[in-house]
Amino acid sequence: MLHIGIITLFPEMFNILQQGVSGKALEKKLVQLERFYLRDYTQDARKTVDDRPYGGGPGMVMMVQPLRDAIHAAKKKLGEDTLTVYLSPQGKPVYQQQMVSFVESKKPLLLIAGRYEGIDERLIEQDIDQEWSMGDIVLSGGEIPAMAIIDAMIRLVPGALGDETSAKQDTFEDGLLEYPHYTRPRTLESLDVPEVLLRGNHRDIIRWRLKHALGRTWLKRPDLLDKLTLTSEQIILLQEFIEEL
Ligand code: 4FV
């Protein structure tokens, strides 16, 4: 079972995960989510978690003590082999294969969602194992990146998705963008569904889907293609796609 802890000032934000696929996985106990409310680990009556930055400047910085105590409490519950991750724009951008590998590792994960200007550097140096980033944008907190990561991981837990294979056929699963999808009606404002998808020949459909996954990746995300070593069949399909363009 995937065991994830979150240290946050807004635990109720994670109620969103009770909807949809993640909600079902929680009900089926395929994943266990533990929320640690940071203010529960403060030592003053006002439950202070932040203070002014040394050196001056705008905003506030999150203090070490409440975060450190929350991390220790969380690791007691999750296990000492927990990977402690701080969400931050300074982190390594997350990517799908990283999610796959982590879920396969079956290790517990502790996510720390920062607020304000961020957290005291000394906590990062001493108590954080890794910093992960959701992308080169600046958010008001790490909660939404944490939720995105939890959602991406839950989908990979066996049994979380109705059809086991759909997590495997996802975009990025084989390093490619996904092929185009169509559903009823068959004709929409004179735009038809590609004929090959209607004929029901599975070999042709698989071939068409791989060709368009390769073609779309070439068009939209050539950087992903650079990371792959294409088979001779994939090279032929991509060339076919480019010629048809
Ligand atoms: C972020 C990101 C992010 C920065 C200051 C929270 C905010 C505030 N986290 N990927 N991009 N965090 O913008 O993970 O504390």
Side-chain angles (χ1 to χ4, degrees):
M1 176 191 64
L2 181 58
H3 203 178
I4 299 180
I6 309 124
I7 295 175
T8 174
L9 282 169
F10 299 99
E12 71 284 355
M13 283 179 75
F14 292 84
N15 292 346
I16 288 181
L17 292 167
Q18 286 157 7
Q19 312 290 324
V21 166
S22 48
K24 288 207 177 35
L26 284 162
E27 278 164 29
K28 292 193 280 187
K29 302 242 180 296
L30 296 173
V31 58
Q32 187 172 346
L33 233 44
E34 313 262 359
R35 297 181 233 191
F36 298 89
Y37 179 39
L38 186 58
R39 292 201 193 279
D40 289 345
Y41 300 91
T42 54
Q43 291 171 350
D44 65 315
R46 288 164 46 89
K47 299 187 179 295
T48 311
V49 294
D50 60 317
D51 204 339
R52 292 192 312 285
Y54 281 119
M60 302 292 272
V61 173
M62 297 182 87
M63 296 152 59
V64 172
Q65 175 273 314
L67 281 166
R68 177 166 287 158
D69 291 353
I71 290 170
H72 291 170
K75 287 179 80 167
K76 252 203 203 70
K77 195 135 189 225
L78 294 166
E80 285 314 313
D81 61 338
T82 299
L83 182 73
T84 303
V85 170
Y86 171 50
L87 284 315
S88 136
Q90 281 77 39
K92 214 159 56 86
V94 292
Y95 54 95
Q96 186 64 11
Q97 190 48 47
Q98 177 188 358
M99 305 291 109
V100 173
S101 309
F102 188 82
V103 170
E104 283 170 354
S105 76
K106 298 195 185 314
K107 284 179 71 171
L109 176 65
L110 176 60
L111 296 171
I112 293 150
R115 284 268 156 175
Y116 313 107
E117 294 308 305
I119 67 179
D120 188 304
E121 192 65 19
R122 290 165 291 184
L123 189 93
I124 297 176
E125 284 163 13
Q126 292 176 341
D127 301 79
I128 302 287
D129 297 322
Q130 293 180 14
E131 284 184 276
W132 291 358
S133 170
M134 185 46 58
D136 294 336
I137 51 175
V138 182
L139 304 169
S140 48
E143 283 81 7
I144 291 174
M147 254 179 271
I149 285 161
I150 294 168
D151 184 72
M153 288 189 177
I154 287 179
R155 299 179 70 262
L156 296 167
V157 174
L161 296 181
D163 168 0
E164 284 303 288
T165 57
S166 52
K168 290 280 160 255
Q169 287 165 356
D170 271 358
T171 291
F172 304 109
E173 268 307 315
D174 44 10
L176 296 173
L177 298 183
E178 212 154 73
Y179 49 79
H181 295 283
Y182 298 87
T183 187
R184 286 178 292 185
R186 185 167 164 165
T187 302
L188 204 61
E189 289 114 38
S190 77
L191 291 174
D192 286 339
V193 173
E195 197 55 38
V196 65
L197 300 180
L198 304 170
R199 281 198 300 270
N201 176 318
H202 284 282
R203 265 180 50 80
D204 291 351
I205 291 171
I206 289 167
R207 188 180 187 281
W208 181 91
R209 285 176 167 171
L210 178 55
K211 180 166 89 174
H212 284 261
L214 287 160
R216 289 179 117 184
T217 309
W218 176 77
L219 280 172
K220 297 181 177 180
R221 290 289 306 274
D223 58 300
L224 293 178
L225 220 46
D226 294 344
K227 290 182 192 156
L228 300 175
T229 310
L230 299 184
T231 64
S232 47
E233 190 221 358
Q234 288 172 334
I235 292 168
I236 290 166
L237 283 173
L238 179 54
Q239 281 167 342
E240 214 177 276
F241 178 91
I242 295 168
E243 279 150 24
E244 287 167 7
L245 259 190

